[in-house]
């Protein structure tokens, strides 16, 4: 079976380790898709360096000091330029407004560091520790109109160990996130995961 080759646009705000996992998977041919652009709302995001190093167009579109509607209208225009099949939110720290969700309905996915629907929103690892959860994990889901509420595509779980801190848990979880995101893209390429429009 030949996997589809999707044009991916990855939206980021920071470190970019999930982006790096996608870059590596693409170089190692674990996925067939091509990252056609990385767009960051922060100029200092390490993710941009990672993209440039991999010769992927890296675009900064600053959100700071701009009304939300102006930023998201510019972002929509920028995303469209790259003609993506799939938009991947990989540590993009802005809530996607309805208009953008509708524009790319069923073509936008997010990676979140918890077993949704548990612990949506910010600091999901801290939330899991404070709730004394015994396990947590990560979720790749379709972006819908809510915050981390869209249809779940893939999850993987890990145990929360005695003595785990937000930092130690986040580090262990990150390795699982990288695998899960790559696996989700592969399943989408192979039509084994079908994205629903919401
Ligand atoms: C990850 O934990 C991801 O699940 C969340 O933001 C973090 C981004 O990390 N949405 P990185 O920038 O990919 O290293």
């Amino acid at each position: 079976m030949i996997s589809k080759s999707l044009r991916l646009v990855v939206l980021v705000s920071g470190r970019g380790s999930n982006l790096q996992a996608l870059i590596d998977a693409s170089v190692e041919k674990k996925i067939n898709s091509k990252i056609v652009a990385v767009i960051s709302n922060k100029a200092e995001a390490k993710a941009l360096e990672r993209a440039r190093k991999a010769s992927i167009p890296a675009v900064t579109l600053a959100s700071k000091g701009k009304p939300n509607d102006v930023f998201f209208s510019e972002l929509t225009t920028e995303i469209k330029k790259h003609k993506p099949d799939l938009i991947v939110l990989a540590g993009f720290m802005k809530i996607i407004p309805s208009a953008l969700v509708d524009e790319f309905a069923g073509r936008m996915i997010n990676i979140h560091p918890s077993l949704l629907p548990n612990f949506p929103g910010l600091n999901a690892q801290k939330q899991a520790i404070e709730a004394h959860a015994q396990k947590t994990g990560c979720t790749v889901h379709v972006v819908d109109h809510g915050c981390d509420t869209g249809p779940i595509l893939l999850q993987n779980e890990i145990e929360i160990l005695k003595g785990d801190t937000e930092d130690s848990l986040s580090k262990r979880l990150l390795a699982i996130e990288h695998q899960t995101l790559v696996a989700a893209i592969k399943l989408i390429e192979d039509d084994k995961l079908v994205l629903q429009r919401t």
Side-chain angles (χ1 to χ4, degrees):
M1 180 181 173
I2 300 173
S3 303
K4 281 185 195 159
S5 176
L6 306 170
R7 294 174 62 83
L8 307 179
V9 165
V10 184
L11 304 190
V12 294
S13 298
R15 179 179 52 188
S17 71
N18 279 288
L19 166 70
Q20 190 66 54
L22 292 180
I23 293 173
D24 294 347
S26 168
V27 170
E28 291 161 16
K29 309 265 183 244
K30 289 183 181 156
I31 57 172
N32 227 358
S33 297
K34 187 174 160 49
I35 305 171
V36 292
V38 171
I39 307 173
S40 172
N41 66 316
K42 295 197 173 189
E44 68 277 17
K46 184 162 180 229
L48 289 168
E49 280 172 44
R50 296 181 191 265
R52 288 188 199 110
K53 214 170 156 197
S55 305
I56 296 167
V59 182
T60 301
L61 206 59
S63 56
K64 204 173 171 192
K66 228 177 246 171
N68 231 22
D69 56 340
V70 173
F71 169 70
F72 277 105
S73 147
E74 289 176 3
L75 180 60
T76 306
T77 305
E78 183 62 38
I79 293 173
K80 279 184 179 168
K81 268 195 219 164
H82 303 283
K83 301 188 177 13
D85 299 304
L86 190 67
I87 298 148
V88 182
L89 308 188
F92 183 64
M93 301 306 284
K94 298 279 286 178
I95 293 180
I96 306 293
S98 284
L100 187 50
V101 174
D102 292 341
E103 180 79 44
F104 300 106
R107 285 195 287 147
M108 194 182 281
I109 63 172
N110 180 43
I111 172 106
H112 181 79
S114 78
L115 292 174
L116 291 171
N118 295 334
F119 315 126
L122 290 176
N123 307 318
Q125 301 92 335
K126 187 165 176 244
Q127 291 184 53
I129 287 181
E130 286 177 356
H132 303 289
Q134 295 191 337
K135 60 181 189 181
T136 188
C138 65
T139 304
V140 175
H141 68 94
V142 179
V143 176
D144 74 355
H145 294 102
C147 177
D148 301 324
T149 52
I152 290 171
L153 296 171
L154 197 61
Q155 293 186 307
N156 275 310
E157 61 180 55
I158 60 169
E159 263 181 66
I160 300 182
L161 306 175
K162 242 191 202 150
D164 250 339
T165 59
E166 183 184 357
D167 194 45
S168 65
L169 179 60
S170 301
K171 276 195 188 128
R172 254 189 4 270
L173 193 48
L174 208 53
I176 308 296
E177 288 189 41
H178 299 160
Q179 293 168 17
T180 308
L181 184 57
V182 170
I185 302 281
K186 174 85 181 109
L187 289 168
I188 294 168
E189 289 178 352
D190 292 345
D191 282 332
K192 289 182 180 157
L193 274 179
V194 178
L195 276 59
Q196 298 167 13
R197 290 172 175 269
T198 51

